[in-house]
mmCIF file of all heavy atoms in Angstrom:
data_model
loop_
_atom_site.group_PDB
_atom_site.id
_atom_site.type_symbol
_atom_site.label_atom_id
_atom_site.label_comp_id
_atom_site.label_asym_id
_atom_site.label_seq_id
_atom_site.Cartn_x
_atom_site.Cartn_y
_atom_site.Cartn_z
ATOM 1 N N GLU M 299 0.808 -1.187 -0.023
ATOM 2 C CA GLU M 299 0.029 0.038 -0.063
ATOM 3 C C GLU M 299 0.935 1.159 -0.029
ATOM 4 O O GLU M 299 0.890 2.022 0.954
ATOM 5 C CB GLU M 299 -0.915 -0.046 1.266
ATOM 6 C CG GLU M 299 -1.787 -1.230 1.324
ATOM 7 C CD GLU M 299 -2.871 -1.200 0.303
ATOM 8 O OE1 GLU M 299 -3.176 -0.202 -0.174
ATOM 9 O OE2 GLU M 299 -3.444 -2.350 0.019
ATOM 10 N N LYS M 300 1.666 1.436 -1.089
ATOM 11 C CA LYS M 300 2.549 2.398 -1.114
ATOM 12 C C LYS M 300 2.062 3.919 -0.987
ATOM 13 O O LYS M 300 2.465 4.718 -0.212
ATOM 14 C CB LYS M 300 3.499 2.447 -2.453
ATOM 15 C CG LYS M 300 4.604 3.346 -2.481
ATOM 16 C CD LYS M 300 5.395 3.299 -3.668
ATOM 17 C CE LYS M 300 6.451 4.274 -3.781
ATOM 18 N NZ LYS M 300 7.378 4.130 -4.970
ATOM 19 N N LYS M 301 0.986 4.148 -1.812
ATOM 20 C CA LYS M 301 0.401 5.524 -1.646
ATOM 21 C C LYS M 301 -0.207 5.785 -0.256
ATOM 22 O O LYS M 301 -0.058 7.004 0.225
ATOM 23 C CB LYS M 301 -0.707 5.659 -2.804
ATOM 24 C CG LYS M 301 -1.342 6.988 -2.807
ATOM 25 C CD LYS M 301 -0.275 7.997 -3.194
ATOM 26 C CE LYS M 301 -0.858 9.432 -3.463
ATOM 27 N NZ LYS M 301 0.170 10.342 -3.604
ATOM 28 N N ALA M 302 -0.864 4.840 0.226
ATOM 29 C CA ALA M 302 -1.486 5.038 1.601
ATOM 30 C C ALA M 302 -0.354 5.267 2.568
ATOM 31 O O ALA M 302 -0.365 6.098 3.420
ATOM 32 C CB ALA M 302 -2.366 3.797 2.017
ATOM 33 N N PHE M 303 0.768 4.549 2.526
ATOM 34 C CA PHE M 303 1.887 4.605 3.388
ATOM 35 C C PHE M 303 2.385 5.986 3.302
ATOM 36 O O PHE M 303 2.827 6.661 4.191
ATOM 37 C CB PHE M 303 3.050 3.528 3.040
ATOM 38 C CG PHE M 303 4.248 3.801 3.781
ATOM 39 C CD1 PHE M 303 4.429 3.583 5.216
ATOM 40 C CD2 PHE M 303 5.267 4.421 3.289
ATOM 41 C CE1 PHE M 303 5.497 3.707 5.987
ATOM 42 C CE2 PHE M 303 6.596 4.622 3.989
ATOM 43 C CZ PHE M 303 6.576 4.281 5.364
ATOM 44 N N GLU M 304 2.619 6.512 2.016
ATOM 45 C CA GLU M 304 3.163 7.939 1.901
ATOM 46 C C GLU M 304 2.393 8.902 2.517
ATOM 47 O O GLU M 304 2.791 9.811 3.118
ATOM 48 C CB GLU M 304 3.334 8.185 0.349
ATOM 49 C CG GLU M 304 4.356 7.396 -0.361
ATOM 50 C CD GLU M 304 4.347 7.449 -1.900
ATOM 51 O OE1 GLU M 304 3.461 8.207 -2.376
ATOM 52 O OE2 GLU M 304 5.361 6.947 -2.435
ATOM 53 N N ASN M 305 0.952 8.847 2.533
ATOM 54 C CA ASN M 305 0.089 9.690 3.127
ATOM 55 C C ASN M 305 0.187 9.596 4.524
ATOM 56 O O ASN M 305 0.182 10.668 5.287
ATOM 57 C CB ASN M 305 -1.392 9.364 2.701
ATOM 58 C CG ASN M 305 -1.620 9.920 1.216
ATOM 59 O OD1 ASN M 305 -0.895 10.707 0.634
ATOM 60 N ND2 ASN M 305 -2.642 9.268 0.637
ATOM 61 N N VAL M 306 0.321 8.446 5.130
ATOM 62 C CA VAL M 306 0.380 8.289 6.646
ATOM 63 C C VAL M 306 1.725 8.854 6.975
ATOM 64 O O VAL M 306 1.854 9.512 8.186
ATOM 65 C CB VAL M 306 0.213 6.792 6.978
ATOM 66 C CG1 VAL M 306 0.719 6.535 8.401
ATOM 67 C CG2 VAL M 306 -1.260 6.382 6.788
ATOM 68 N N LYS M 307 2.790 8.450 6.319
ATOM 69 C CA LYS M 307 4.164 8.926 6.716
ATOM 70 C C LYS M 307 4.113 10.522 6.599
ATOM 71 O O LYS M 307 4.677 11.183 7.711
ATOM 72 C CB LYS M 307 5.280 8.383 5.842
ATOM 73 C CG LYS M 307 6.630 8.958 6.140
ATOM 74 C CD LYS M 307 7.656 8.223 5.294
ATOM 75 C CE LYS M 307 9.071 8.697 5.686
ATOM 76 N NZ LYS M 307 9.332 9.791 6.532
ATOM 77 N N ALA M 308 3.490 11.180 5.762
ATOM 78 C CA ALA M 308 3.461 12.587 5.652
ATOM 79 C C ALA M 308 2.737 13.198 6.932
ATOM 80 O O ALA M 308 3.112 14.146 7.485
ATOM 81 C CB ALA M 308 2.899 13.104 4.385
ATOM 82 N N TYR M 309 1.696 12.535 7.196
ATOM 83 C CA TYR M 309 0.933 12.965 8.428
ATOM 84 C C TYR M 309 1.767 12.880 9.758
ATOM 85 O O TYR M 309 1.789 13.839 10.409
ATOM 86 C CB TYR M 309 -0.363 12.012 8.470
ATOM 87 C CG TYR M 309 -1.177 12.347 9.843
ATOM 88 C CD1 TYR M 309 -2.065 13.352 9.877
ATOM 89 C CD2 TYR M 309 -0.953 11.663 10.877
ATOM 90 C CE1 TYR M 309 -2.828 13.710 11.004
ATOM 91 C CE2 TYR M 309 -1.717 11.871 12.059
ATOM 92 C CZ TYR M 309 -2.632 12.895 12.094
ATOM 93 O OH TYR M 309 -3.356 13.154 13.219
ATOM 94 N N ILE M 310 2.377 11.714 9.852
ATOM 95 C CA ILE M 310 3.305 11.480 11.059
ATOM 96 C C ILE M 310 4.392 12.478 11.073
ATOM 97 O O ILE M 310 4.659 13.156 12.123
ATOM 98 C CB ILE M 310 3.820 10.011 11.047
ATOM 99 C CG1 ILE M 310 2.705 9.149 11.346
ATOM 100 C CG2 ILE M 310 4.967 9.915 12.036
ATOM 101 C CD1 ILE M 310 2.998 7.719 11.219
ATOM 102 N N ASP M 311 5.001 12.803 9.931
ATOM 103 C CA ASP M 311 6.129 13.697 9.832
ATOM 104 C C ASP M 311 5.683 15.138 10.144
ATOM 105 O O ASP M 311 6.523 15.936 10.697
ATOM 106 C CB ASP M 311 6.758 13.715 8.357
ATOM 107 C CG ASP M 311 7.529 12.502 8.135
ATOM 108 O OD1 ASP M 311 7.794 11.744 9.063
ATOM 109 O OD2 ASP M 311 7.829 12.299 6.967
ATOM 110 N N ASN M 312 4.444 15.429 10.038
ATOM 111 C CA ASN M 312 3.871 16.818 10.374
ATOM 112 C C ASN M 312 3.408 17.046 11.845
ATOM 113 O O ASN M 312 3.012 18.023 12.168
ATOM 114 C CB ASN M 312 2.881 17.277 9.346
ATOM 115 C CG ASN M 312 3.353 17.618 7.953
ATOM 116 O OD1 ASN M 312 4.361 18.411 7.958
ATOM 117 N ND2 ASN M 312 2.887 16.985 6.984
ATOM 118 N N LEU M 313 3.371 15.848 12.540
ATOM 119 C CA LEU M 313 2.913 15.968 13.905
ATOM 120 C C LEU M 313 4.169 16.587 14.775
ATOM 121 O O LEU M 313 5.179 16.318 14.473
ATOM 122 C CB LEU M 313 2.744 14.507 14.472
ATOM 123 C CG LEU M 313 1.604 13.787 14.014
ATOM 124 C CD1 LEU M 313 1.498 12.404 14.480
ATOM 125 C CD2 LEU M 313 0.183 14.449 14.531
ATOM 126 N N ASP M 314 3.634 17.457 15.725
ATOM 127 C CA ASP M 314 4.559 18.036 16.584
ATOM 128 C C ASP M 314 5.302 16.868 17.468
ATOM 129 O O ASP M 314 4.604 15.875 17.832
ATOM 130 C CB ASP M 314 3.954 18.928 17.638
ATOM 131 C CG ASP M 314 3.444 20.222 17.001
ATOM 132 O OD1 ASP M 314 4.126 20.539 15.916
ATOM 133 O OD2 ASP M 314 2.421 20.824 17.475
ATOM 134 N N ASP M 315 6.616 16.995 17.629
ATOM 135 C CA ASP M 315 7.479 15.992 18.367
ATOM 136 C C ASP M 315 6.815 15.668 19.860
ATOM 137 O O ASP M 315 6.927 14.520 20.119
ATOM 138 C CB ASP M 315 8.914 16.464 18.528
ATOM 139 C CG ASP M 315 9.498 16.215 17.107
ATOM 140 O OD1 ASP M 315 9.050 15.477 16.302
ATOM 141 O OD2 ASP M 315 10.598 16.899 16.984
ATOM 142 N N TYR M 316 6.311 16.687 20.495
ATOM 143 C CA TYR M 316 5.783 16.322 21.822
ATOM 144 C C TYR M 316 4.659 15.324 21.743
ATOM 145 O O TYR M 316 4.276 14.869 22.884
ATOM 146 C CB TYR M 316 5.446 17.661 22.538
ATOM 147 C CG TYR M 316 4.223 18.420 22.072
ATOM 148 C CD1 TYR M 316 2.946 18.099 22.653
ATOM 149 C CD2 TYR M 316 4.259 19.302 21.101
ATOM 150 C CE1 TYR M 316 1.825 18.741 22.152
ATOM 151 C CE2 TYR M 316 3.116 20.004 20.623
ATOM 152 C CZ TYR M 316 1.960 19.705 21.272
ATOM 153 O OH TYR M 316 0.779 20.248 20.836
ATOM 154 N N LEU M 317 3.928 15.240 20.748
ATOM 155 C CA LEU M 317 2.879 14.306 20.592
ATOM 156 C C LEU M 317 3.355 12.850 20.315
ATOM 157 O O LEU M 317 2.598 11.942 20.578
ATOM 158 C CB LEU M 317 1.897 14.692 19.522
ATOM 159 C CG LEU M 317 1.287 16.097 19.586
ATOM 160 C CD1 LEU M 317 0.511 16.293 18.299
ATOM 161 C CD2 LEU M 317 0.323 16.009 20.753
ATOM 162 N N LYS M 318 4.549 12.639 19.931
ATOM 163 C CA LYS M 318 5.053 11.329 19.310
ATOM 164 C C LYS M 318 5.916 10.723 20.415
ATOM 165 O O LYS M 318 6.687 11.301 21.208
ATOM 166 C CB LYS M 318 5.855 11.506 18.120
ATOM 167 C CG LYS M 318 5.060 12.095 17.014
ATOM 168 C CD LYS M 318 5.794 12.142 15.641
ATOM 169 C CE LYS M 318 6.741 13.164 15.494
ATOM 170 N NZ LYS M 318 7.315 13.191 14.083
ATOM 171 N N VAL M 319 5.911 9.408 20.434
ATOM 172 C CA VAL M 319 6.843 8.545 21.197
ATOM 173 C C VAL M 319 8.221 8.530 20.563
ATOM 174 O O VAL M 319 8.299 8.845 19.328
ATOM 175 C CB VAL M 319 6.320 7.214 21.373
ATOM 176 C CG1 VAL M 319 5.062 7.123 22.214
ATOM 177 C CG2 VAL M 319 6.157 6.394 20.065
ATOM 178 N N ASP M 320 9.250 8.093 21.208
ATOM 179 C CA ASP M 320 10.539 8.014 20.591
ATOM 180 C C ASP M 320 10.601 6.814 19.613
ATOM 181 O O ASP M 320 9.726 6.128 19.695
ATOM 182 C CB ASP M 320 11.586 8.143 21.624
ATOM 183 C CG ASP M 320 11.759 6.837 22.453
ATOM 184 O OD1 ASP M 320 11.623 5.721 21.958
ATOM 185 O OD2 ASP M 320 11.906 6.976 23.631
ATOM 186 N N ASP M 321 11.595 6.859 18.789
ATOM 187 C CA ASP M 321 11.722 5.869 17.768
ATOM 188 C C ASP M 321 11.867 4.383 18.345
ATOM 189 O O ASP M 321 11.237 3.549 17.710
ATOM 190 C CB ASP M 321 12.963 6.054 16.920
ATOM 191 C CG ASP M 321 12.848 7.242 16.021
ATOM 192 O OD1 ASP M 321 11.637 7.767 15.871
ATOM 193 O OD2 ASP M 321 13.849 7.773 15.508
ATOM 194 N N SER M 322 12.417 4.148 19.525
ATOM 195 C CA SER M 322 12.532 2.772 20.011
ATOM 196 C C SER M 322 11.196 2.389 20.459
ATOM 197 O O SER M 322 10.729 1.129 20.252
ATOM 198 C CB SER M 322 13.538 2.734 21.170
ATOM 199 O OG SER M 322 13.139 3.550 22.214
ATOM 200 N N VAL M 323 10.439 3.249 21.015
ATOM 201 C CA VAL M 323 8.937 2.902 21.535
ATOM 202 C C VAL M 323 8.046 2.552 20.223
ATOM 203 O O VAL M 323 7.369 1.683 20.218
ATOM 204 C CB VAL M 323 8.350 3.948 22.409
ATOM 205 C CG1 VAL M 323 6.874 3.670 22.817
ATOM 206 C CG2 VAL M 323 9.220 4.124 23.737
ATOM 207 N N TYR M 324 8.201 3.353 19.258
ATOM 208 C CA TYR M 324 7.518 3.355 18.046
ATOM 209 C C TYR M 324 7.695 1.990 17.440
ATOM 210 O O TYR M 324 6.725 1.210 17.055
ATOM 211 C CB TYR M 324 7.715 4.433 17.229
ATOM 212 C CG TYR M 324 6.964 4.544 15.846
ATOM 213 C CD1 TYR M 324 5.551 4.565 15.852
ATOM 214 C CD2 TYR M 324 7.688 4.582 14.539
ATOM 215 C CE1 TYR M 324 4.890 4.621 14.524
ATOM 216 C CE2 TYR M 324 6.871 4.536 13.423
ATOM 217 C CZ TYR M 324 5.588 4.566 13.552
ATOM 218 O OH TYR M 324 4.834 4.641 12.297
ATOM 219 N N SER M 325 9.035 1.714 17.308
ATOM 220 C CA SER M 325 9.331 0.305 16.647
ATOM 221 C C SER M 325 8.879 -0.815 17.545
ATOM 222 O O SER M 325 8.410 -1.797 16.869
ATOM 223 C CB SER M 325 10.920 0.263 16.671
ATOM 224 O OG SER M 325 11.302 -0.900 16.144
ATOM 225 N N THR M 326 8.965 -0.775 18.842
ATOM 226 C CA THR M 326 8.417 -1.904 19.716
ATOM 227 C C THR M 326 6.897 -1.955 19.535
ATOM 228 O O THR M 326 6.347 -3.007 19.378
ATOM 229 C CB THR M 326 8.819 -1.548 21.237
ATOM 230 O OG1 THR M 326 10.149 -1.442 21.290
ATOM 231 C CG2 THR M 326 8.158 -2.633 22.099
ATOM 232 N N ARG M 327 6.211 -0.926 19.435
ATOM 233 C CA ARG M 327 4.764 -0.738 19.313
ATOM 234 C C ARG M 327 4.384 -1.575 17.995
ATOM 235 O O ARG M 327 3.439 -2.430 17.875
ATOM 236 C CB ARG M 327 4.151 0.521 19.387
ATOM 237 C CG ARG M 327 4.108 1.088 20.781
ATOM 238 C CD ARG M 327 3.553 2.485 20.779
ATOM 239 N NE ARG M 327 3.312 2.917 22.099
ATOM 240 C CZ ARG M 327 2.753 4.062 22.333
ATOM 241 N NH1 ARG M 327 2.248 4.835 21.396
ATOM 242 N NH2 ARG M 327 2.519 4.474 23.711
ATOM 243 N N LEU M 328 5.174 -1.063 16.995
ATOM 244 C CA LEU M 328 4.798 -1.675 15.642
ATOM 245 C C LEU M 328 5.145 -3.257 15.473
ATOM 246 O O LEU M 328 4.465 -3.931 14.793
ATOM 247 C CB LEU M 328 5.689 -0.885 14.447
ATOM 248 C CG LEU M 328 5.090 0.433 14.280
ATOM 249 C CD1 LEU M 328 5.933 1.159 13.074
ATOM 250 C CD2 LEU M 328 3.601 0.587 13.752
ATOM 251 N N ASP M 329 6.176 -3.628 16.199
ATOM 252 C CA ASP M 329 6.475 -5.080 16.253
ATOM 253 C C ASP M 329 5.329 -5.737 16.870
ATOM 254 O O ASP M 329 4.942 -6.885 16.448
ATOM 255 C CB ASP M 329 7.648 -5.272 17.061
ATOM 256 C CG ASP M 329 8.975 -4.931 16.254
ATOM 257 O OD1 ASP M 329 8.907 -4.856 14.997
ATOM 258 O OD2 ASP M 329 10.067 -4.774 16.883
ATOM 259 N N CYS M 330 4.676 -5.328 17.889
ATOM 260 C CA CYS M 330 3.613 -5.870 18.615
ATOM 261 C C CYS M 330 2.366 -5.847 17.577
ATOM 262 O O CYS M 330 1.686 -6.936 17.515
ATOM 263 C CB CYS M 330 3.163 -5.028 19.899
ATOM 264 S SG CYS M 330 4.304 -5.198 21.174
ATOM 265 N N CYS M 331 2.184 -4.889 16.856
ATOM 266 C CA CYS M 331 1.038 -4.805 15.923
ATOM 267 C C CYS M 331 1.183 -5.804 14.801
ATOM 268 O O CYS M 331 0.295 -6.491 14.356
ATOM 269 C CB CYS M 331 0.975 -3.348 15.392
ATOM 270 S SG CYS M 331 0.358 -2.039 16.469
#
């Protein structure tokens, strides 16, 4: 789903950092998913 991924990535990239978990937490969460 390349186009959907690009849209989701753009959305995430535009989020303020204070709203996001750090990269290691994000990776761990995605591994669970």
